[in-house]
């Protein structure tokens, strides 16, 4: 295991930010840690990375105990925060150089690491440009490159693609996936984009400091998410048919959506009312449905 957390607790005066949580992260996996703002995600990350002290509980990262071997843990993790920590007045090269120096990577060792980094993140054209002249997507690439300059075993991504355009988000994830496949990198992710969490190996959902659900995306969707039929024709007939049977119904401008107990019900309804099924769509439940079901909130706290 790359992370092992047992009975972790952290309070700020009367507020219990992390309330007796336990979970494990396997080496090489993409692990998603989900919750609304204030749920306890950032507090947990800050404890794992040594920024905050825990009140109680046990934490081991990369096989090292947080209480007695914190320095070794810090050398084995890289963190990309939601808000960039790059120095905007320095060039890309200087940002990477000074970060590497903190880990004793200088001289020929830095030159070797820099060559690998430039190739991996396609930085050749911008290496000598100051940060304030780069786009948001370019800065995010530098944030990730900076976090990986010392070749950590664990990369913590705290909402890494928030505010990025779709193309740049894809580019960022292509880099992360390449590192996972080629280097066995473990990625610990928080995100507001449920399609990113859907690609995870394992998901933990936290609410008000407590873990409220966990499992693979597939298992979580099977347990908590509803499936749906959208009818684009015969809307009034479909609405009447399903409402008398107690199914939740949502009417939109172009379709009527029926919430099902499972997609296996579609076959039964097709036999009973085939005339409804000339223009329809069957949708499997997704991670947005899971999150709403287990927390009663959307990811923005609504």
């Amino acid at each position: 295991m790359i992370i092992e957390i047992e009975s972790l607790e952290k309070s700020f005066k009367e507020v219990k930010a992390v309330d007796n949580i336990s979970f494990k992260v396997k080496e090489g996996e993409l692990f998603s840690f989900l919750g609304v703002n204030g749920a306890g995600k950032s507090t947990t990350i800050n404890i794992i990375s040594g920024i905050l002290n825990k009140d109680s509980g046990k934490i081991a990262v990369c096989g090292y105990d947080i209480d007695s071997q914190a320095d070794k843990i810090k050398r084995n993790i890289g963190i990309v925060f939601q808000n960039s920590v790059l120095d905007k007045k320095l060039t890309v090269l200087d940002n990477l150089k000074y970060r590497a120096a903190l880990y004793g990577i200088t001289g020929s060792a830095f030159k070797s690491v820099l060559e690998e980094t430039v190739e991996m993140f396609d930085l050749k054209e911008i290496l000598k440009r100051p940060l304030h002249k780069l786009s948001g997507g370019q800065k995010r690439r530098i944030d990730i490159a900076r976090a990986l300059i010392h070749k950590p075993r664990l990369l913590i991504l705290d909402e890494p693609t928030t505010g990025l355009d779709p193309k740049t988000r894809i580019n960022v994830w292509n880099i992360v996936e390449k590192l996972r496949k080629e280097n066995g990198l473990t990625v610990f992710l928080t995100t507001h984009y449920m399609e990113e969490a859907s690609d995870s190996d394992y998901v933990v959902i936290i609410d008000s400091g407590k873990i409220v659900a966990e499992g693979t995306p597939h298992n979580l969707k099977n347990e908590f998410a509803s499936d749906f039929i959208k009818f684009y024709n015969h809307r009034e007939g479909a609405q009447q048919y399903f409402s008398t049977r107690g199914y939740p119904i949502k009417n939109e401008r172009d379709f009527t959506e029926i919430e099902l107990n499972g997609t296996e019900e579609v076959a039964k309804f097709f036999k009973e009312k085939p005339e409804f099924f000339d223009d329809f769509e069957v949708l499997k439940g997704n991670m947005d449905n899971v999150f709403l079901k287990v927390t009663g909130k959307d990811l923005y706290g609504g």
Side-chain angles (χ1 to χ4, degrees), residues 96-109:
L96 296 176
K97 183 178 181 180
Y98 295 146
R99 177 64 176 181
L102 293 176
Y103 293 91
I105 305 171
T106 59
S108 60

Side-chain angles (χ1 to χ4, degrees), residues 268-286:
K268 179 183 73 172
F269 298 139
F270 184 82
K271 289 180 180 179
E272 293 180 2
K273 288 290 181 179
E275 65 270 23
F276 292 166
F277 289 83
D278 63 342
D279 191 4
F280 71 100
E281 185 177 11
V282 179
L283 303 175
K284 288 287 292 180
N286 56 34

Side-chain angles (χ1 to χ4, degrees), residues 207-220:
D207 188 39
S208 300
K210 292 179 176 291
I211 292 175
V212 292
E214 62 179 301
T216 66
H218 176 75
N219 289 342
L220 287 172

Side-chain angles (χ1 to χ4, degrees), residues 176-241:
V176 172
E177 284 305 301
K178 185 177 181 181
L179 288 164
R180 288 185 63 219
K181 290 178 181 178
E182 294 182 358
N183 300 343
L185 183 69
T186 304
V187 178
F188 184 103
L189 171 72
T190 75
T191 181
H192 278 149
Y193 296 108
M194 287 293 93
E195 65 269 27
E196 294 178 350
S198 295
D199 293 330
S200 301
D201 297 299
Y202 201 80
V203 175
V204 165
I205 300 175
I206 186 172
D207 188 39
S208 300
K210 292 179 176 291
I211 292 175
V212 292
E214 62 179 301
T216 66
H218 176 75
N219 289 342
L220 287 172
K221 285 185 280 189
N222 281 344
E223 183 175 357
F224 296 108
S226 299
D227 298 326
F228 302 89
I229 309 178
K230 286 185 178 180
F231 291 103
Y232 297 94
N233 288 331
H234 303 290
R235 295 176 56 192
E236 291 184 5
Q239 181 176 343
Q240 182 178 5
Y241 174 81

Side-chain angles (χ1 to χ4, degrees), residues 31-298:
F31 179 98
S32 286
F33 194 52
L34 307 180
V36 297
N37 292 335
K41 304 189 307 296
S42 294
T43 299
T44 303
I45 288 174
N46 288 338
I47 294 171
I48 291 171
S49 57
I51 297 172
L52 278 177
N53 292 324
K54 59 184 172 62
D55 292 340
S56 62
K58 297 179 181 180
I59 298 179
V61 181
C62 302
Y64 300 113
D65 181 76
I66 193 76
D67 294 321
S68 59
Q69 299 170 300
D71 287 343
K72 291 183 177 179
I73 290 175
K74 291 177 181 177
R75 297 191 68 86
N76 278 279
I77 64 174
I79 307 176
V80 177
F81 295 100
Q82 181 179 352
N83 297 317
S84 177
V85 294
L86 299 169
D87 192 321
K88 297 177 182 178
K89 295 181 180 179
L90 298 180
T91 65
V92 172
L93 175 60
D94 286 339
N95 268 280
L96 296 176
K97 183 178 181 180
Y98 295 146
R99 177 64 176 181
L102 293 176
Y103 293 91
I105 305 171
T106 59
S108 60
F110 173 69
K111 184 178 179 181
S112 176
V113 170
L114 181 64
E115 289 176 355
E116 294 178 17
T117 303
V118 168
E119 182 179 357
M120 170 67 73
F121 291 90
D122 191 22
L123 305 179
K124 185 175 181 180
E125 300 299 322
I126 62 174
L127 195 59
K128 295 185 179 180
R129 291 174 62 183
L131 262 293
H132 69 269
K133 292 188 177 181
L134 300 183
S135 68
Q138 289 171 326
K139 290 176 183 176
R140 187 47 94 197
R141 271 192 288 152
I142 307 307
D143 272 316
I144 297 174
R146 177 183 180 276
L148 295 171
I149 198 74
H150 59 298
K151 298 184 178 180
R153 294 170 58 192
L154 171 65
L155 177 64
I156 297 174
L157 298 176
D158 190 6
E159 298 181 26
T161 58
T162 297
L164 299 182
D165 62 87
K167 182 179 179 181
T168 302
R169 284 173 58 200
I170 291 171
N171 289 339
V172 166
W173 275 109
N174 285 342
I175 292 171
V176 172
E177 284 305 301
K178 185 177 181 181
L179 288 164
R180 288 185 63 219
K181 290 178 181 178
E182 294 182 358
N183 300 343
L185 183 69
T186 304
V187 178
F188 184 103
L189 171 72
T190 75
T191 181
H192 278 149
Y193 296 108
M194 287 293 93
E195 65 269 27
E196 294 178 350
S198 295
D199 293 330
S200 301
D201 297 299
Y202 201 80
V203 175
V204 165
I205 300 175
I206 186 172
D207 188 39
S208 300
K210 292 179 176 291
I211 292 175
V212 292
E214 62 179 301
T216 66
H218 176 75
N219 289 342
L220 287 172
K221 285 185 280 189
N222 281 344
E223 183 175 357
F224 296 108
S226 299
D227 298 326
F228 302 89
I229 309 178
K230 286 185 178 180
F231 291 103
Y232 297 94
N233 288 331
H234 303 290
R235 295 176 56 192
E236 291 184 5
Q239 181 176 343
Q240 182 178 5
Y241 174 81
F242 285 99
S243 64
T244 59
R245 287 158 175 78
Y247 287 90
I249 296 172
K250 181 172 69 174
N251 282 304
E252 299 290 350
R253 186 179 66 179
D254 297 323
F255 62 87
T256 292
E257 183 180 84
I258 314 297
E259 183 176 341
L260 304 174
N261 296 315
T263 51
E264 68 277 358
E265 290 184 313
V266 175
K268 179 183 73 172
F269 298 139
F270 184 82
K271 289 180 180 179
E272 293 180 2
K273 288 290 181 179
E275 65 270 23
F276 292 166
F277 289 83
D278 63 342
D279 191 4
F280 71 100
E281 185 177 11
V282 179
L283 303 175
K284 288 287 292 180
N286 56 34
M287 288 301 297
D288 288 287
N289 303 137
V290 171
F291 192 89
L292 183 61
K293 184 66 68 73
V294 299
T295 66
K297 309 165 187 173
D298 62 38

